[in-house]
Amino acid sequence: MSADKHLQSWQERFEMAEAMQPLLGKLYRNQGIEVVVYGKPLLNASTIEIIKSHRLVRRHVGEKLRLRESFPFVVALSKLAIKHCKVDIGKLAINYWRDNKDASGIEAYMAKELSEAINHGDDTPARDVVLYGFGRIGRLLARLLIERTGKSNKLRLRAIVLRGGKKGDLEKRASLLRRDSVHGPFNGSVEVDEENNAIIANGTYIQIIYSNSPDEVDYTQYDINDALIVDNTGIWKDEAGLGLHLKSPGASKVLLTAPAKGAIKNIVYGVNENDILDEDTIVSAASCTTNAITPVLKAVNDKYAIENGHVETIHSYTNDQNLIDNYHSADRRGRSAPLNMVITETGAAKAVAKALPVLAGKLTGNAIRVPTPNVSMAIISLNLQTETNRDELNEYLKDVALQSGLQNQIDFTESTEIVSSDLVGSRYAGVVDSQATIADGKRAILYVWYDNEFGYSCQVVGVMQKMLGLTTLSLPNS
């Protein structure tokens, strides 16, 4: 192909991606349809991101997917009476073009494949959400909720509760939402309404409430009712502490973004979210590490049966550690986080059993905090009941990542060059690094990357939806 033809080919793809963008936006805003390509989300995607998502298809299935081949599927989607679902146009297009030579049958094919989504969730009322705490996870949850702004959105961020309230606090909080040293600038506009003590982000009006205790807020005075309170503080972890939220008028359920104590259910979305019952008022979304490893462990256990194992977490430092050497109540955490690797404890391996009881007592775990601000890795060393090898295990996990019920939790990479910064912004609970897999006989070692902030926050949103009865169909089913 000549140089001119390469440029012409790129130009055609770029123009097709540009034409696709407004359709993708309207599908979500008007119909609540999230479009993905083999799991890669296209909601608010740039033209380059749309092109790259199509290029990745060849790596997954060995076949090209051109934008001109997927574009008719986006058009057909907009004509169907379906709402509130996630649709993988990559899978639909690949499956269709394998058996067809022209586009004449696309609309009928789509109507058949997506029939399950007709009028799905159309009558479900929108629900109010309050973020209690506005740290790393709170701000990322705000970004995720705001990006879904639209009349079809059923998950409405109504308020953020903070301690303090000193002069200038509101503008500082807004600034932290606008700019993030790890995740980059906010995609849109953030305004401050000083008079009414609110932040307006991409048209979402967010009331800022100052309170020193969960039971001191009357949400109803802000027209917030039957709300889900998402506690991001980590201060209260048991039923007595988290139950204080339920004493506030307007609050009906509580979700903790940390491991819970006692009998509170620890949920890893994609694994045991069906354990959430309508009568459950307090639920935990477990930890970032538990979310990263549990889906992979479930997949491995389903096929090979795990005898026992050990999980070593190489974890980015967190706000709990010190920037420079200073007193800390925990062992070793008082030493400078940006300058040291710090061995510390993690309960993630044992916590897996709360979401996956079949592994109770089978896993040990430890953690090493390292001088990076985000993205962590779990090294999972397993003894299996069934023999396998590297190629077989990788091929199985690749299929799980693409085709199974865990496809929204597990990603899979075959890159020999990937490093931690490449995973910033990953929406998956964990990413299997296939090039690092070691397997021989009944022994296997897996390396699983995870964005311990953003990937975890995406998992939390899934739990929020389940608690409020706002689950999303993912189609096609295979």
Side-chain angles (χ1 to χ4, degrees):
M1 185 183 286
S2 68
D4 286 344
K5 287 186 176 179
H6 278 293
L7 183 58
Q8 182 181 352
S9 174
W10 173 259
Q11 187 73 17
E12 288 174 355
R13 280 178 281 163
F14 201 87
E15 289 176 359
M16 190 67 71
E18 285 181 318
M20 194 179 285
Q21 280 180 308
L23 294 177
L24 295 170
K26 287 181 180 179
L27 280 167
Y28 182 77
R29 309 303 165 202
N30 298 333
Q31 295 172 242
I33 298 174
E34 296 184 52
V35 179
V36 300
V37 173
Y38 276 84
K40 301 298 180 184
L42 300 187
L43 180 62
N44 296 326
S46 67
T47 51
I48 299 298
E49 288 169 336
I50 293 172
I51 292 170
K52 286 173 70 175
S53 70
H54 284 67
R55 287 179 62 86
L56 285 171
V57 173
R58 188 170 188 174
R59 284 192 202 169
H60 291 318
V61 297
E63 299 177 51
K64 281 186 178 180
L65 177 62
R66 298 170 177 84
L67 272 87
R68 64 174 179 270
E69 293 173 331
S70 65
F71 186 81
F73 289 82
V74 178
V75 174
L77 259 181
S78 63
K79 298 179 181 179
L80 292 174
I82 62 173
K83 293 188 176 183
H84 306 294
C85 60
K86 182 180 291 185
V87 177
D88 198 319
I89 61 165
K91 292 181 180 180
L92 288 166
I94 286 291
N95 291 339
Y96 177 85
W97 291 117
R98 281 174 179 165
D99 301 319
N100 297 276
K101 300 297 183 183
D102 60 64
S104 61
I106 288 178
E107 289 190 14
Y109 170 79
M110 292 280 280
K112 178 182 176 183
E113 291 293 313
L114 305 179
S115 60
E116 189 178 350
I118 294 175
N119 296 324
H120 173 69
D122 194 29
D123 298 328
T124 306
R127 299 294 300 273
D128 292 345
V129 173
V130 173
L131 298 179
Y132 198 97
F134 205 46
R136 298 299 297 153
I137 300 305
R139 292 195 295 273
L140 291 177
L141 287 174
R143 287 189 175 205
L144 286 167
L145 293 171
I146 291 165
E147 79 173 9
R148 287 162 168 75
T149 300
K151 63 183 181 182
S152 290
N153 181 39
K154 301 290 186 179
L155 207 57
R156 302 188 305 175
L157 175 58
R158 298 294 312 281
I160 297 166
V161 183
L162 307 167
R163 286 181 294 176
K166 296 179 181 178
K167 184 177 180 180
D169 182 86
L170 190 62
E171 181 52 52
K172 284 185 178 293
R173 302 289 184 172
S175 182
L176 285 168
L177 180 59
R178 285 190 194 100
R179 305 171 184 89
D180 192 288
S181 301
V182 172
H183 299 282
F186 176 79
N187 187 20
S189 66
V190 177
E191 304 171 55
V192 171
D193 183 348
E194 291 277 3
E195 184 179 349
N196 295 298
N197 220 46
I199 291 173
I200 304 165
N202 290 0
T204 298
Y205 186 90
I206 308 164
Q207 184 70 53
I208 304 301
I209 304 169
Y210 292 99
S211 177
N212 292 318
S213 179
D215 57 351
E216 293 179 354
V217 184
D218 182 355
Y219 294 107
T220 60
Q221 70 175 322
Y222 304 102
D223 196 29
I224 297 171
N225 298 283
D226 199 24
L228 170 63
I229 313 300
V230 183
D231 190 318
N232 305 296
T233 66
I235 297 173
W236 304 276
K237 295 183 178 180
D238 59 14
E239 195 162 352
L242 293 169
L244 293 173
H245 288 290
L246 300 175
K247 294 183 179 181
S248 290
S252 64
K253 292 179 183 289
V254 181
L255 174 60
L256 172 65
T257 60
K261 296 179 180 179
I264 296 172
K265 293 177 181 178
N266 281 257
I267 302 298
V268 174
Y269 193 72
V271 175
N272 69 325
E273 72 273 13
N274 289 331
D275 289 350
I276 300 174
L277 305 177
D278 290 342
E279 58 266 29
D280 288 329
T281 55
I282 303 175
V283 169
S284 161
S287 72
C288 56
T289 302
T290 304
N291 274 267
I293 63 178
T294 304
V296 175
L297 288 167
K298 181 183 187 317
V300 173
N301 189 70
D302 284 349
K303 182 166 184 177
Y304 300 102
I306 296 170
E307 286 278 7
N308 53 58
H310 178 80
V311 180
E312 194 72 29
T313 303
I314 314 301
H315 200 292
S316 296
Y317 62 76
T318 67
N319 197 49
D320 174 67
Q321 295 171 255
N322 292 331
L323 287 176
I324 58 175
D325 290 0
N326 207 344
Y327 173 79
H328 197 294
S329 59
D331 295 342
R332 309 189 209 225
R333 291 198 188 192
R335 301 299 298 278
S336 172
L339 298 178
N340 295 289
M341 293 191 293
V342 179
I343 296 176
T344 187
E345 73 285 344
T346 176
K350 291 183 179 179
V352 168
K354 290 190 174 182
L356 201 59
V358 68
L359 295 184
K362 294 185 178 182
L363 298 173
T364 58
N366 218 343
I368 304 171
R369 296 287 179 90
V370 295
T372 55
N374 185 40
V375 180
S376 302
M377 170 179 279
I379 304 173
I380 307 173
S381 180
L382 300 171
N383 293 310
L384 309 173
Q385 291 182 18
T386 305
E387 291 189 357
T388 186
N389 58 60
R390 182 177 185 269
D391 290 344
E392 180 194 87
L393 181 55
N394 275 338
E395 192 60 33
Y396 168 66
L397 290 173
K398 179 179 179 180
D399 185 65
V400 168
L402 291 176
Q403 307 293 349
S404 78
L406 293 170
Q407 62 182 329
N408 295 319
Q409 281 67 51
I410 301 175
D411 198 9
F412 183 93
T413 178
E414 296 174 305
S415 172
T416 58
E417 299 293 339
I418 199 166
V419 294
S420 61
S421 60
D422 297 324
L423 277 301
V424 172
S426 169
R427 293 175 181 250
Y428 293 89
V431 182
V432 175
D433 191 324
S434 64
Q435 297 304 302
T437 298
I438 300 170
D440 184 20
K442 295 183 178 181
R443 287 275 297 148
I445 303 175
L446 295 169
Y447 291 73
V448 180
W449 298 98
Y450 56 108
D451 184 324
N452 48 278
E453 296 182 336
F454 200 76
Y456 174 68
S457 295
C458 291
Q459 285 286 98
V460 172
V461 171
V463 179
M464 291 165 63
Q465 292 172 324
K466 182 65 177 179
M467 289 183 74
L468 296 177
L470 302 174
T471 52
T472 301
L473 277 176
S474 290
L475 299 170
N477 295 314
S478 61

